[in-house]
Amino acid sequence: MAAPAHRRSLRKRRTLVVSAAVVAAGVGAGVLVLNANAGTVDLYHQTLAAKDGWASSGTGTTGGTKADAAHTFTVSTRAQLVKALGSASDTTPRIIKVKGTIDANTDDAGKKLTCASYASGTGYSLTSYLKAYDPSTYGRSKLPSGTQETARAAAQKKQAAQIVFKVPANTTLVGVPGTNAGLTGAMLQIQNVDNVIVRNLTFAATEDCFPQWDPTDGDDGNWNSNYDAVTLRGATHVWADHNTFTDAPHLDAANPKYYGREYQIHDGELDVTKSSDLVTISRNVFSNHDKTTLIGSSDSEPAGKLRVSIHHNVYKGIVQRAPLSRVGQIHIYNNYYDVTPLNGYAVQYSINSRAKAQVVAENNYWKVPSSVKVAKLLSGDGTGAIKGTGNSVNGTVTDLVAAYNAASSKDLKTTVNWTPTLTTGLETSASAVKNLPTSLGSTAGAGVLK
């Protein structure tokens, strides 16, 4: 059996229930969100509340709220989005309103682009690639190199130029209510910038046409893809809120196998890596996906960063990394995990703490079928810590760390070196935790904000 790969390879509110398996659709066309704590606020200028997770630390997260009229955009095509984002080095505050669904795999004229479009002119052929690096002849000791690997990288570079959108500092990117707002086939790259808000968007079908074969990854090798729906790399003060992430319509069950391993075209849904810091991930729906959220891309990332809060999110049909945490201080609370197998996605674990990560997981709710052992909900490498309190399995408070440690040879540590204080909205009562499946079903994900 292959070893799992941990390397890097998307109160009162008027609400709409969001499907976790398909692209969410909104109803109504207003521009306001009704918030019991803040009154009536302008959705496009809303900022992260005080003490709402790590992203509220220090200067807080305000995104593009200071944008002038010249830097306030409404976009409905890929070309318009590229123009609105401008240069990644331009720190001028901007608000970008996404109206409808934008397909990243389209040219400036709106013509659909395919994997064949990106491969054209590079010399890449999957048939030739498979022949060149077949482990029975090429071996398993080194990464592919040579003509076909060079061609694969060139084709992947062409796709990246089309689907990767670089977000500048001081930006608010928000879906217009009632328009089915979102990005298909895209990667939002938030890299080495500060102060970004991403809200009310559906991220679907982020796919790599040209995965790389790595025979050294795990016991039997793996196909590794290159694009996350949203990726944070060296970013600070980022608030990702009320978004929906899904592999749909192409689910992993449809992927073929080559060299006996799944030809994986999906990477992360929302990854936080390269010493990113001060991040709040709230009220999103993560669905139908394998490697969901990676915090820290390497066990050797320096200490002092990767501080992330994850709260009031819904996880359905998620295999792993919800999240996988390295090095940092991560607060995970009031989330709903439904680990019932869905569309071929079966859970390996929900939360992983490794590389000395300091995780506080409290007052979360797991729906666990009889086919899944409670000990499988957590994972670690023997150096990470999870301090767990008030977590519920099928309505019963359960010590998940104790269950994992009783079944594992690499115990999770049970004490951490910090105490969360940025906890606005934390629900601790037993009744509130038991109600999370219902309450988050109507308040999390895209299409809810008005």
Side-chain angles (χ1 to χ4, degrees):
M1 179 177 179
H6 289 302
R7 60 190 296 166
R8 226 183 149 277
S9 318
L10 229 189
R11 151 127 109 47
K12 184 175 176 180
R13 285 191 173 101
R14 295 172 59 197
T15 60
L16 170 71
V17 177
V18 180
S19 167
V22 297
V23 176
V27 242
V31 297
L32 301 179
V33 56
L34 302 181
N35 185 304
N37 297 320
T40 301
V41 294
D42 178 351
L43 174 60
Y44 305 114
H45 291 85
Q46 190 172 12
T47 61
L48 181 63
K51 296 187 177 182
D52 187 350
W54 275 116
S56 66
S57 181
T59 57
T61 302
T62 59
T65 190
K66 294 182 180 179
D68 58 21
H71 292 89
T72 300
F73 309 90
T74 299
V75 302
S76 57
T77 68
R78 178 192 173 279
Q80 291 171 349
L81 176 58
V82 170
K83 184 177 180 180
L85 287 169
S87 169
S89 62
D90 184 355
T91 62
T92 306
R94 69 195 63 222
I95 295 171
I96 302 174
K97 308 173 186 179
V98 177
K99 186 176 183 180
T101 301
I102 295 175
D103 188 345
N105 290 293
T106 52
D107 65 15
D108 288 348
K111 180 183 176 181
K112 180 67 177 177
L113 299 175
T114 65
C115 294
S117 305
Y118 303 127
S120 178
T122 67
Y124 173 81
S125 159
L126 177 58
T127 300
S128 298
Y129 190 90
L130 292 173
K131 183 178 180 181
Y133 306 112
D134 188 327
S136 66
T137 54
Y138 184 79
R140 293 183 174 274
S141 62
K142 60 181 179 178
L143 285 170
S145 63
T147 302
Q148 272 300 303
E149 173 57 21
T150 299
R152 185 205 65 81
Q156 191 176 68
K157 185 177 180 180
K158 285 178 67 176
Q159 184 183 10
Q162 190 69 24
I163 72 168
V164 176
F165 300 95
K166 298 180 180 180
V167 181
N170 306 316
T171 294
T172 291
L173 190 68
V174 60
V176 175
T179 69
N180 209 20
L183 301 178
T184 297
M187 180 170 89
L188 279 189
Q189 182 173 297
I190 306 170
Q191 181 168 338
N192 299 328
V193 297
D194 180 69
N195 193 30
V196 173
I197 295 172
V198 180
R199 305 183 77 201
N200 207 38
L201 293 167
T202 291
F203 296 91
T206 300
E207 299 169 4
D208 187 345
C209 289
F210 311 103
Q212 182 186 38
W213 170 245
D214 182 353
T216 70
D217 184 0
D219 292 341
D220 298 317
N222 274 301
W223 291 95
N224 292 318
S225 54
N226 201 43
Y227 308 113
D228 308 319
V230 177
T231 188
L232 279 58
R233 302 173 182 175
T236 53
H237 290 108
V238 178
W239 180 30
D241 174 74
H242 278 98
N243 302 295
T244 293
F245 298 82
T246 177
D247 287 352
H250 182 108
L251 305 179
D252 279 355
N255 291 339
K257 288 186 177 181
Y258 300 120
Y259 309 149
R261 302 296 291 157
E262 181 184 348
Y263 190 67
Q264 181 56 264
I265 62 173
H266 303 113
D267 195 10
E269 289 195 310
L270 198 172
D271 280 5
V272 183
T273 63
K274 305 294 183 182
S275 294
S276 292
D277 198 24
L278 305 177
V279 177
T280 296
I281 299 169
S282 60
R283 298 191 182 275
N284 303 283
V285 171
F286 297 94
S287 65
N288 292 291
H289 192 78
D290 185 353
K291 302 169 184 175
T292 303
T293 294
L294 181 64
I295 300 176
S297 53
S298 167
D299 287 359
S300 61
E301 287 206 32
K305 302 289 182 69
L306 297 171
R307 292 173 290 180
V308 182
S309 297
I310 299 174
H311 71 82
H312 292 93
N313 300 284
V314 173
Y315 297 88
K316 289 189 175 184
I318 295 302
V319 177
Q320 59 181 314
R321 300 186 183 182
L324 184 156
S325 302
R326 290 182 168 104
V327 178
Q329 295 175 332
I330 295 93
H331 193 197
I332 304 169
Y333 62 94
N334 292 152
N335 299 287
Y336 172 43
Y337 297 87
D338 183 348
V339 298
T340 307
L342 178 66
N343 296 322
Y345 295 92
V347 68
Q348 288 184 14
Y349 64 83
S350 295
I351 299 172
N352 182 303
S353 180
R354 58 192 298 107
K356 300 182 180 180
Q358 303 289 300
V359 176
V360 176
E362 57 181 328
N363 303 106
N364 301 287
Y365 188 105
W366 272 265
K367 179 181 178 181
V368 181
S370 58
S371 59
V372 176
K373 294 182 179 180
V374 173
K376 286 188 63 175
L377 301 181
L378 305 181
S379 184
D381 67 348
T383 72
I386 298 181
K387 180 181 179 181
T389 57
N391 295 301
S392 177
V393 174
N394 298 333
T396 300
V397 175
T398 303
D399 188 336
L400 300 180
V401 178
Y404 170 80
N405 285 348
S408 173
S409 60
K410 295 182 178 180
D411 284 1
L412 288 163
K413 299 182 185 305
T414 59
T415 59
V416 296
N417 62 9
W418 71 294
T419 301
T421 58
L422 305 172
T423 57
T424 292
L426 172 63
E427 299 172 271
T428 59
S429 72
S431 60
V433 174
K434 284 186 178 181
N435 193 47
L436 285 173
T438 301
S439 62
L440 292 181
S442 58
T443 60
V448 172
L449 299 178
K450 302 298 180 188

